[in-house]
């Protein structure tokens, strides 16, 4: 199975994380994987709100089989999983359902959402994974236990969860219907490959990429352009464009980003009937209402 490992943030791990080594872990699993867990209230909610209407399974219990054994992770907290499940439904699933229809969502949405409590740290150290998608089947969201329900910040939510989801979902879309190879030409020869970890967002923007990660490869560039445009406020997007203008007034970076936005806009419209501007506006509108959501009650 093709595995797309994305949104790896490298070099963010300071000395404080060096305790994340194999030596500190007890190799005996405290989780019993042999018996089916009893259906609790949250399981019933998931059935009613995810599985039955959309054919999506939400896994929040720790399950070695769903995790990459080259990384160290900890289980997602029960109450935070409930809160995030409700946020994902409101800020992500309902957006696509409203603008593209339930059938679209049921057909193309990954069939499994997997919540993990911690970020995924490479056992060898050095990098941290924000989210993964595997063959369009499963999206894993990490760091669920860092969710601060009493102080929801859209910027943090987007950075950890929603930008990741739009990013991974866009991979599924372009793997299903290719985008025009003209996109490859916009910043041809400027991709850093694995070297993207050594540059920051500001530098990448001058080169015509929305983020440093976008500069790693053409596919990443394509989906990062979509994901960032959707989740960023108009002011934040403008800042990205401003960052892309060099101190000498060179606008080639900004021009490239705008050209990419135009191409992803055309692709989503022509291939999928999706209006990226409408998705952006819907997400921005919903972000202003997240404080009004009940993220506790399982109804
Ligand atoms: Zn990716």
């Amino acid at each position: 199975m093709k595995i797309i490992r994305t949104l790896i943030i490298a070099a963010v791990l300071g000395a404080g994380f060096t305790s994340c080594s194999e030596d500190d872990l007890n190799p005996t699993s405290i989780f019993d994987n042999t018996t089916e867990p009893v259906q609790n209230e949250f399981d019933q909610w998931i059935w009613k709100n995810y599985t039955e209407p959309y054919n999506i399974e939400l896994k929040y219990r720790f399950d070695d089989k769903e995790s990459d054994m080259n990384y160290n992770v900890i289980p997602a907290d029960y109450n935070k999983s409930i809160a995030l499940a409700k946020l994902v439904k409101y800020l992500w699933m309902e957006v696509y359902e409203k603008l593209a229809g339930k059938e679209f969502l049921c057909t193309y949405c990954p069939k499994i959402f997997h919540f993990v409590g911690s970020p995924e740290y490479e056992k060898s150290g050095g990098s941290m994974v924000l989210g993964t998608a595997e063959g369009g089947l499963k999206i894993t969201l990490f760091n669920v236990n860092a969710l601060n329900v009493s102080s929801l910040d859209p910027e943090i939510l987007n950075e950890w969860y929603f930008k990741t989801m739009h990013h991974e979902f866009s991979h599924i879309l372009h793997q299903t219907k290719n985008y025009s190879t003209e996109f490859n030409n916009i910043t041809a020869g400027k991709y850093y490959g694995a070297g993207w970890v050594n540059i920051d967002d500001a530098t990448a923007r001058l080169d015509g990429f929305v983020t440093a990660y976008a500069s790693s490869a053409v596919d990443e560039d394509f989906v990062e352009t979509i994901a960032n445009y959707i989740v960023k406020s108009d002011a934040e997007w403008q800042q990205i464009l401003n960052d892309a203008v060099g101190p000498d007034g060179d606008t080639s970076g900004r021009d490239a980003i705008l050209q990419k936005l135009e191409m992803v806009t055309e692709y989503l419209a022509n291939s999928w009937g999706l209006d990226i501007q409408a998705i952006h506006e819907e997400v921005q509108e919903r972000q202003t209402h997240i404080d009004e959501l009940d993220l506790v009650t399982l109804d």
Side-chain angles (χ1 to χ4, degrees):
M1 179 182 289
K2 184 177 182 188
I3 295 183
I4 308 152
R5 181 160 298 287
T6 64
L7 297 174
I8 295 172
I9 290 201
V12 295
L13 298 182
F17 289 107
T18 49
S19 63
C20 289
S21 72
E22 258 175 296
D23 303 340
D24 300 329
L25 297 179
N26 183 335
T28 311
S29 176
I30 57 166
F31 302 99
D32 177 3
N33 290 327
T34 57
T35 49
E36 263 315 289
V38 178
Q39 284 260 316
N40 61 34
E41 228 190 325
F42 184 29
D43 296 324
Q44 287 161 14
W45 185 93
I46 289 168
W47 173 260
K48 200 171 122 189
N49 290 276
Y50 276 68
T51 316
E52 200 269 326
Y54 306 111
N55 195 27
I56 297 168
E57 195 181 342
L58 195 164
K59 296 189 171 208
Y60 63 94
R61 289 185 176 86
F62 194 77
D63 180 355
D64 280 354
K65 293 188 290 293
E66 295 292 342
S67 300
D68 186 331
M69 294 280 92
N70 292 316
Y71 293 81
N72 290 324
V73 292
I74 61 169
D77 174 84
Y78 181 79
N79 291 320
K80 296 199 177 199
S81 295
I82 292 171
L84 186 58
K86 289 189 152 204
L87 283 166
V88 166
K89 185 168 185 254
Y90 180 71
L91 281 176
W92 196 84
M93 285 153 65
E94 288 178 3
V95 171
Y96 286 103
E97 183 180 12
K98 180 177 174 182
L99 298 172
K102 191 173 175 180
E103 202 184 320
F104 170 85
L105 188 63
C106 291
T107 307
Y108 297 106
C109 184
K111 297 295 171 268
I112 300 171
F113 291 171
H114 180 210
F115 288 179
V116 172
S118 60
E120 194 176 54
Y121 299 110
E122 268 183 347
K123 280 181 179 170
S124 56
S127 76
M128 181 169 83
V129 180
L130 289 186
T132 59
E134 294 172 32
L137 277 178
K138 184 178 87 171
I139 285 185
T140 302
L141 295 180
F142 295 94
N143 211 20
V144 172
N145 295 354
L147 181 67
N148 185 352
V149 180
S150 58
S151 171
L152 293 168
D153 179 342
E155 209 178 323
I156 293 172
L157 291 175
N158 285 331
E159 208 49 41
W160 273 105
Y161 316 117
F162 294 103
K163 196 171 84 171
T164 304
M165 293 193 68
H166 291 291
H167 174 116
E168 302 296 357
F169 190 52
S170 301
H171 273 312
I172 292 172
L173 296 182
H174 79 70
Q175 284 162 0
T176 308
K177 295 182 188 177
N178 285 332
Y179 53 86
S180 163
T181 52
E182 281 172 47
F183 186 89
N184 308 12
N185 300 331
I186 302 174
T187 42
K190 292 191 171 181
Y191 291 93
Y192 288 88
W196 74 271
V197 294
N198 298 318
I199 62 162
D200 55 19
D201 286 346
T203 307
R205 285 168 187 164
L206 291 171
D207 281 339
F209 305 100
V210 288
T211 58
Y213 192 58
S215 75
S216 63
V218 179
D219 282 350
E220 301 308 331
D221 192 9
F222 190 79
V223 302
E224 277 288 278
T225 305
I226 295 174
N228 279 276
Y229 186 74
I230 290 173
V231 302
K232 300 290 186 195
S233 68
D234 292 338
E236 287 168 333
W237 180 257
Q238 190 54 51
Q239 189 56 51
I240 289 175
L241 297 178
N242 294 346
D243 290 348
V245 178
D248 54 354
D250 177 8
T251 62
S252 58
R254 185 184 66 187
D255 296 345
I257 291 174
L258 286 173
Q259 207 184 336
K260 287 172 184 177
L261 176 62
E262 200 179 309
M263 289 202 70
V264 301
T265 301
E266 279 172 20
Y267 165 80
L268 290 173
N270 297 339
S271 295
W272 298 101
L274 286 174
D275 179 349
I276 195 174
Q277 184 60 28
I279 300 173
H280 163 81
E281 285 171 16
E282 184 70 26
V283 165
Q284 298 307 312
E285 167 66 19
R286 283 174 182 253
Q287 282 177 181
T288 66
H289 295 293
I290 50 177
D291 286 337
E292 301 154 27
L293 298 176
D294 175 352
L295 299 178
V296 177
T297 312
L298 291 167
D299 40 14

